[in-house]
Amino acid sequence: YKIRNLTMPTLTFEKKGHKYLLDGRPLTGVTSVLKVIAKPALIQWAANQAVDYVRGKTKGLEAIGIQQLEEILEEAKIAHRRKKEEAGSKGTDVHSEIEGYIKTENWNPTGNESTDKAVMLFITWAGMNKVKFLASEKQVYSQTHFLAGTLDFICEIDGKKYLGDIKTSSGIYGREYFAQCAAYRMMLEEMGETGFAGSVVVRLGKDGSFEEVYSMDYEND
C-alpha cells in the first residue's frame, strides 16, 4: 500500500524581498505574473514625470549651466520611480488602515489628509452597502500553478459573497484588476473556499475620487 501524506503545506511570507514560500519553496506572486500585461499608458506617464521634473527644476531660471542641466536630466530619468514609490507608500498606508478597520470595526484618523480621506471613502461605501466583511489581507496559494498572493478582503453584500480589491490609482483601466481578483479566487477555490458571486474593485483616489466596479465574469477575468 502507498501511504499518502495528507499534511497541509505551510505557506510563509518573507517581508524582506516580498517572497512567498510553500514548504520552503518560492512561489510566484500574482502581481509578478500580471506584469506581462502591456500598460502603454504607463509609458507616457513616465515620460510626463520626467518632463514635469525638468520644468519644476528650471522654472524661473534665466540661464542654466551644462553641468547643472546634466544633473537635472539624470535625476529626471528616475522621477517616475520616485513618484511610483510615493504612491505605493500611500497605498500601503491606506490598506493598513482599512485592514485595521475591517478587523476591529473601529478607526481613528491618522492625521494624514490623503490617507484619511481614502479610508473615509471606504468606510462610507461599506456603511451605505451594509457590507459584511468575512476576511481581510488573507494570504492564498495554488499548488497547481505554484502561485501566491494576499487578497484585500472578502465580503457579503445583499447576501452574495464577493472577493474585494482596494486600489488607490487614478482610475480603473482595462481588466488587469479583475484578472488579479480572478487569480485570488482561483487559489481560494483550490484551497476549498467557494460560493463567490463575483469581484468588486473599490478605487479610492488620492484626489477624493471614488469608484466601485463589479465583475461577475470570472471565466473571462
Side-chain angles (χ1 to χ4, degrees), residues 104-118:
T104 67
E105 297 185 354
N106 291 303
W107 176 69
N108 294 312
T110 65
N112 182 297
E113 183 179 355
S114 179
T115 298
D116 291 348
K117 186 183 293 184

Side-chain angles (χ1 to χ4, degrees), residues 1-216:
Y1 295 93
K2 289 184 178 180
I3 300 176
R4 296 181 61 192
N5 183 359
L6 300 180
T7 303
M8 289 292 291
T10 301
L11 178 69
T12 55
F13 177 71
E14 294 182 355
K15 194 170 183 179
K16 185 178 180 180
H18 200 84
K19 294 179 181 178
Y20 293 94
L21 303 171
L22 192 64
D23 287 341
R25 297 175 61 195
L27 297 157
T28 302
V30 170
T31 51
S32 295
V33 173
L34 292 175
K35 286 179 181 178
V36 302
I37 298 176
K39 304 174 185 68
L42 287 182
I43 298 173
Q44 186 60 57
W45 174 82
N48 291 344
Q49 295 305 308
V51 171
D52 290 345
Y53 182 85
V54 173
R55 281 178 177 159
K57 284 291 184 177
T58 57
K59 186 177 181 180
L61 297 179
E62 294 182 1
I64 188 170
I66 293 298
Q67 183 176 349
Q68 187 179 1
L69 177 60
E70 287 294 338
E71 291 174 356
I72 291 173
L73 292 175
E74 284 299 315
E75 292 171 355
K77 289 180 181 179
I78 58 172
H80 69 288
R81 188 187 307 165
R82 285 195 296 269
K83 193 77 171 182
K84 185 176 180 181
E85 288 172 353
E86 289 172 7
S89 177
K90 185 252 183 178
T92 299
D93 292 342
V94 170
H95 277 74
S96 178
E97 292 298 317
I98 290 176
E99 178 187 7
Y101 163 73
I102 290 175
K103 290 180 176 178
T104 67
E105 297 185 354
N106 291 303
W107 176 69
N108 294 312
T110 65
N112 182 297
E113 183 179 355
S114 179
T115 298
D116 291 348
K117 186 183 293 184
V119 177
M120 275 306 304
L121 285 171
F122 184 84
I123 292 174
T124 300
W125 168 78
M128 290 180 64
N129 289 277
K130 298 180 181 179
V131 179
K132 178 183 178 182
F133 292 104
L134 306 177
S136 174
E137 296 297 317
K138 182 179 178 67
Q139 293 181 351
V140 292
Y141 67 89
S142 166
Q143 286 183 285
T144 303
H145 302 284
F146 230 69
L147 190 67
T150 302
L151 60 86
D152 289 341
F153 64 91
I154 300 171
C155 69
E156 281 186 7
I157 302 174
D158 293 332
K160 296 179 180 180
K161 187 160 72 169
Y162 295 91
L163 193 149
D165 198 51
I166 300 164
K167 297 299 181 187
T168 55
S169 57
S170 60
I172 297 176
Y173 309 105
R175 304 291 302 171
E176 181 186 349
Y177 294 163
F178 296 103
Q180 184 177 359
C181 290
Y184 293 143
R185 176 172 167 178
M186 176 188 69
M187 290 186 278
L188 278 169
E189 291 183 346
E190 185 177 320
M191 293 169 68
E193 183 166 351
T194 58
F196 290 93
S199 302
V200 57
V201 173
V202 181
R203 188 183 70 81
L204 313 168
K206 61 182 179 181
D207 59 353
S209 58
F210 172 86
E211 284 182 273
E212 60 168 336
V213 181
Y214 290 83
S215 174
M216 311 300 178

